[in-house]
Amino acid sequence: MRKKRKKEDNGFNVWRSYSDMMAGVLLLFVLIMCVTLFQAQKSYNESIKERDEKIALQEEYTAEILAQQNALDEKEGILKDQDKQLKSQDEQLAEQKKLLADLAEKLKKQKATLNKQQSSLDEKTALLEEQQQKIDNIIGVKAEVVESLKKEFSKNNVNVDIDSKTGALTLDANVMFAYDEAELTEEGKQALGNILPIYCKVLLEEAHKPYLAEIIIDGYTDTDGDYAYNLELSQQRSLAVAQYLLDIQHDFLNDSESLDLQDYLTVNGHSMSNPILDKDGKVDKDASRRVEVKFRLKDDEMIDELNKIMADSKKE
């Protein structure tokens, strides 16, 4: 009986050992599973963390890229604006270049015109200087003649009204003629006999004769009466003075000088034109009735013309 119990105890021990072994294996498996799960959880957590870090980094990169893209877009916009401005500036520069070219062409033409005008002006200036010299010479001759006349009248104690610039003598018609008459009075003949020989003798001197063009006797009346009647009266009076001069010419001139006098002598009647005015601007009838004896040099007309040319040149 005891032997049977022993066998039962052995069987129990095997199964118990097997059970313990299986429990150990299971425990080991559980332990391994726990370790594996722990490692898996750790790896998962690390993966999640790494993923989050990558996502955060990606978001950071994305934000940075977006910022850079925005900056690039902004720069691109600025560059486009600058490009437009540059194109506009290029167009403006091209337009300005064209304007400058046109201006340069105009300036070139103006310069050519100015050069031409300057050349013409230089020619005119030279001509005017030459003409001015001629005028000065002629004026000098006239001044010399007037001075000679004054000296001769003073030397002979003859008091006359002689114009210092023109050398014209003014003779009072009231002394030489009766009112409304054209015949010389004795007083008038005496006055003419003292004046005309000196006047003509000076003009016909060899120093002056080459420049002489005319010896002129002009008659004038006052403003009363008819123009035609006064014209005839003024002509008759100037002719009377001229005739008296021709009648006495041989008393102070030789034959050659007498012929010259006839060539130079001119007689005019001016009626009531060019009346003499008093200080109040009214017609002085007594002074207006007069006879003027004057001379003209050969180039007097040229002086008038040159003076006109010079005046026109100054206006330009």
Side-chain angles (χ1 to χ4, degrees), residues 18-66:
Y18 179 78
S19 175
D20 291 338
M21 183 187 67
M22 291 302 293
V25 171
L26 179 60
L27 181 60
L28 179 62
F29 178 76
V30 169
L31 182 60
I32 292 171
M33 288 296 294
C34 288
V35 171
T36 302
L37 288 173
F38 177 76
Q39 290 293 334
Q41 183 66 39
K42 183 180 180 181
S43 297
Y44 176 76
N45 291 336
E46 290 177 353
S47 297
I48 292 297
K49 183 180 180 181
E50 184 178 359
R51 185 199 66 182
D52 292 341
E53 289 177 353
K54 288 182 178 179
I55 290 173
L57 184 61
Q58 185 176 5
E59 289 177 351
E60 183 180 349
Y61 286 161
T62 301
E64 185 177 352
I65 290 172
L66 287 174

Side-chain angles (χ1 to χ4, degrees), residues 45 65 79 85 95 103 115 138 153 168 179 221 223 228 254 269 275:
N45 291 336
I65 290 172
L79 290 174
Q85 291 178 356
E95 185 177 355
L103 181 60
N115 289 336
I138 295 166
F153 283 120
Y179 183 77
T221 67
T223 55
N254 58 38

